[in-house]
């Protein structure tokens, strides 16, 4: 019975939301960031990049202190407001390609996370957990919700559709041509209905945001110990989440690029590949896999199709059936010598929105020797791996929606 409750968000005034909202900091190039910081005094980037005010790069604890200061300035200048009553927030994004994402921004209980009612499919890195925990503890807020997903639910859909029948609190379009909407649900009875619907579900699943949720859990455990009057209702017992139905998720693949052939010649490499795959050289014909356990490869100016010889590969569990794991177990590790896929500097990734054309360009320029493409994982695969208590290899999924920062903010 996952605990999902309304909360009092800090959010932009209606007239400034389009100016404030931003993509996550690392999604911009340096030139893009500077252009926005130069020309938009309301951008959320001024908060997360506070050293820009002093024309200086600032990192670590010093940056965290400055982030807190910039945030407080936005609060003091009434650029942000805090809702008087706890709310659920219906957030919808319509992409330029016509895809629509609709879900609920809420506070989700960390007890549910701790007891595995919120299941995860990725491992986290300890130092990243610790760094973000320190960040949250210093700045006192989080502006990027964890993306959770649940089975489609008709009762929840009816509540959302009813909330959408009135004018949204926010409606704005970005320069990327996606349109964002936000509706508030502050009626206590409806909020209780939503909470009960989530309580009736067996589990929620983390789609994106494993480090954010793990760091929030670390912070919660630390603050509980130091608070002699701990009740379990304090804000640190929850994390901000964006919860959408499974049918709304959009999952893309991550393609793989490797800098060298591990000392093998092209011919030796292809012979080693033949042990696991039926190989077809498609010359300069662009190839994208059409079925599971098939891969695209670009090497030395040619595209290849690789189809797994299933007699030579045994699937033991949900993880071993995943294409990213198949590629690692048959090619990246035994042939190309990739050890830790999280840290090996010979391996890099490019998400599926860029396509194999992007991979081809990097290989043709000599930055990498070989590139591999695959089909995206499915929601069912992601859930089954989580249900079996397993974790995916790094960069197994590129999941949308990617939400903008600064639209709803959760204060600790």
């Amino acid at each position: 019975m996952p605990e999902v409750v309304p909360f009092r968000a800090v959010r932009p005034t209606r007239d400034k939301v389009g100016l404030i909202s931003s993509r996550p900091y690392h999604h911009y190039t340096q030139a893009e960031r500077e252009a926005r910081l130069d020309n938009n005094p309301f951008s959320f980037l001024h908060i997360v990049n506070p050293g820009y005010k002093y024309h200086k790069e600032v990192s670590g604890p010093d940056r965290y202190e400055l982030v807190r200061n910039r945030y407080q300035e936005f609060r003091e200048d009434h650029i942000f407001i805090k809702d008087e009553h706890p709310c659920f927030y219906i957030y919808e994004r319509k992409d330029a390609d016509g895809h629509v994402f609709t879900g609920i921004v809420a506070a989700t209980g960390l007890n549910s996370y701790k007891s595995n009612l919120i299941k995860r499919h990725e491992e986290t890195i300890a130092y990243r957990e610790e760094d973000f925990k320190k960040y949250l503890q210093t700045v006192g807020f989080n502006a990027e919700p964890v993306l959770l997903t649940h089975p489609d639910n008709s009762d929840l859909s009816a509540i959302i559709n009813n909330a959408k029948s009135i004018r949204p609190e926010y409606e704005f379009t970005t320069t990327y041509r996606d349109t964002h909407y936000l509706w508030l649900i502050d009626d206590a009875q409806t909020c209780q209905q939503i909470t009960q619907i989530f309580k009736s579900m067996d589990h929620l699943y983390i789609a994106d945001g494993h480090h954010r949720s793990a760091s929030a859990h670390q912070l919660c455990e630390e603050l509980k110990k130091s608070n002699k009057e701990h009740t379990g209702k304090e804000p640190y017992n929850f994390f901000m989440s964006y919860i959408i139905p499974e049918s709304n998720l959009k999952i893309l693949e991550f393609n793989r690029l490797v800098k060298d052939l591990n000392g093998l010649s092209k011919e030796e490499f292809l012979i080693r590949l033949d042990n696991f795959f039926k190989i077809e050289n498609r010359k300069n014909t662009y190839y994208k896999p059409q079925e599971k356990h098939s891969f695209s490869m670009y090497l030395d100016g040619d595209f290849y199709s690789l189809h797994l010889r299933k007699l030579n590969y045994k699937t033991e569990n949900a993880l071993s059936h995943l294409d990213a794991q198949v590629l690692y177990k048959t090619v990246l590790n035994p042939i190309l010598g990739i050890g830790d896929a999280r840290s090996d500097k010979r391996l890099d990734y490019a998400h599926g929105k860029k396509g194999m054309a992007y991979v081809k360009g990097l290989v043709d320029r000599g930055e990498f020797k070989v590139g591999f493409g695959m089909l995206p994982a499915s929601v069912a695969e992601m859930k089954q791996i989580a249900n079996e208590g397993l974790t995916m290899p790094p960069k197994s999924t590129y999941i949308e929606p990617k939400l903008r920062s600064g639209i709803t903010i959760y204060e600790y």
Side-chain angles (χ1 to χ4, degrees), residues 43-61:
S43 173
F44 196 77
L45 291 174
H46 284 286
I47 293 176
V48 294
N49 190 28
Y52 189 78
K53 180 178 181 179
Y54 304 107
H55 308 288
K56 180 178 174 60
E57 285 289 332
V58 185
S59 60

Side-chain angles (χ1 to χ4, degrees), residues 182-400:
L182 189 81
W183 292 266
L184 276 60
I185 296 180
D186 60 1
D187 172 69
Q189 184 176 350
T190 307
C191 287
Q192 183 61 24
Q193 278 183 276
I194 293 171
T195 294
Q196 290 302 318
I197 290 171
F198 282 116
K199 275 189 175 181
S200 71
M201 297 179 183
D202 293 331
H203 300 96
L204 296 174
Y205 293 82
I206 297 178
D208 194 18
H210 286 78
H211 282 90
R212 274 168 278 155
S213 51
S215 298
H217 177 250
Q218 270 199 29
L219 179 60
C220 175
E221 294 300 302
E222 189 170 307
L223 294 179
K224 275 198 302 188
K225 292 177 183 177
S226 63
N227 183 2
K228 294 180 181 179
E229 298 180 358
H230 172 80
T231 66
K233 299 299 182 183
E234 296 87 353
Y236 60 72
N237 292 285
F238 301 85
F239 64 96
M240 183 169 66
S241 54
Y242 179 52
I243 314 175
I244 67 174
E246 293 170 5
S247 61
N248 232 208
L249 275 184
K250 183 178 180 182
I251 303 181
L252 299 174
E253 71 280 7
F254 266 102
N255 298 319
R256 271 70 171 141
L257 295 121
V258 184
K259 290 186 179 292
D260 58 66
L261 297 182
N262 198 27
L264 301 172
S265 68
K266 172 184 170 181
E267 292 71 24
E268 289 170 332
F269 174 61
L270 290 171
I271 289 171
R272 293 281 300 275
L273 273 183
D274 196 80
N275 289 327
F276 287 105
F277 296 95
K278 176 185 176 183
I279 305 170
E280 183 178 350
N281 187 339
R282 296 175 177 262
K283 302 296 184 182
N284 61 357
T285 302
Y286 182 91
Y287 173 72
K288 183 175 176 63
Q290 300 299 312
E291 58 186 16
K292 298 297 292 182
H293 298 169
S294 295
F295 302 87
S296 173
M297 182 175 76
Y298 185 73
L299 171 68
D300 195 27
D302 289 339
F303 281 100
Y304 294 80
S305 59
L306 309 178
H307 299 281
L308 183 68
R309 299 184 191 278
K310 293 183 172 59
L311 289 176
N312 293 346
Y313 181 85
K314 304 301 181 184
T315 56
E316 303 166 349
N317 51 36
L319 177 61
S320 63
H321 188 75
L322 189 73
D323 278 352
Q325 183 75 351
V326 171
L327 188 68
Y328 178 77
K329 286 294 188 180
T330 58
V331 183
L332 299 183
N333 179 252
I335 300 177
L336 294 178
I338 301 297
D340 187 346
R342 296 178 183 278
S343 59
D344 197 311
K345 297 186 183 304
R346 296 169 52 232
L347 175 66
D348 207 347
Y349 304 89
H351 60 69
K353 291 181 82 170
K354 295 181 176 180
M356 282 299 288
Y358 177 78
V359 171
K360 177 182 183 298
L362 293 176
V363 174
D364 286 346
R365 290 199 298 271
E367 297 180 36
F368 296 89
K369 188 67 176 179
V370 61
F372 301 92
M374 66 192 83
L375 288 177
S378 66
V379 173
E381 286 179 307
M382 182 184 77
K383 289 177 61 177
Q384 188 59 36
I385 287 170
N387 288 339
E388 292 182 17
L390 303 169
T391 54
M392 289 183 172
K395 302 291 186 183
S396 292
T397 55
Y398 181 85
I399 296 180
E400 292 192 320

Side-chain angles (χ1 to χ4, degrees), residues 35-103:
R36 283 158 175 77
L37 289 164
D38 283 340
N39 298 302
N40 180 4
F42 299 109
S43 173
F44 196 77
L45 291 174
H46 284 286
I47 293 176
V48 294
N49 190 28
Y52 189 78
K53 180 178 181 179
Y54 304 107
H55 308 288
K56 180 178 174 60
E57 285 289 332
V58 185
S59 60
D62 289 341
R63 173 176 168 264
Y64 304 165
E65 296 282 353
L66 288 176
V67 168
R68 183 185 63 192
N69 294 345
R70 293 292 86 74
Y71 174 69
Q72 289 302 325
E73 288 171 6
F74 271 52
R75 289 277 268 127
E76 290 162 3
D77 292 339
H78 305 292
I79 296 169
F80 287 133
I81 58 173
K82 187 167 185 174
D83 285 315
E84 293 185 7
H85 305 287
C87 300
F88 284 114
Y89 302 87
I90 310 302
Y91 184 13
E92 183 168 280
R93 193 187 92 183
K94 292 183 178 179
D95 286 354
D97 62 6
H99 201 100
V100 180
F101 304 97
T102 309

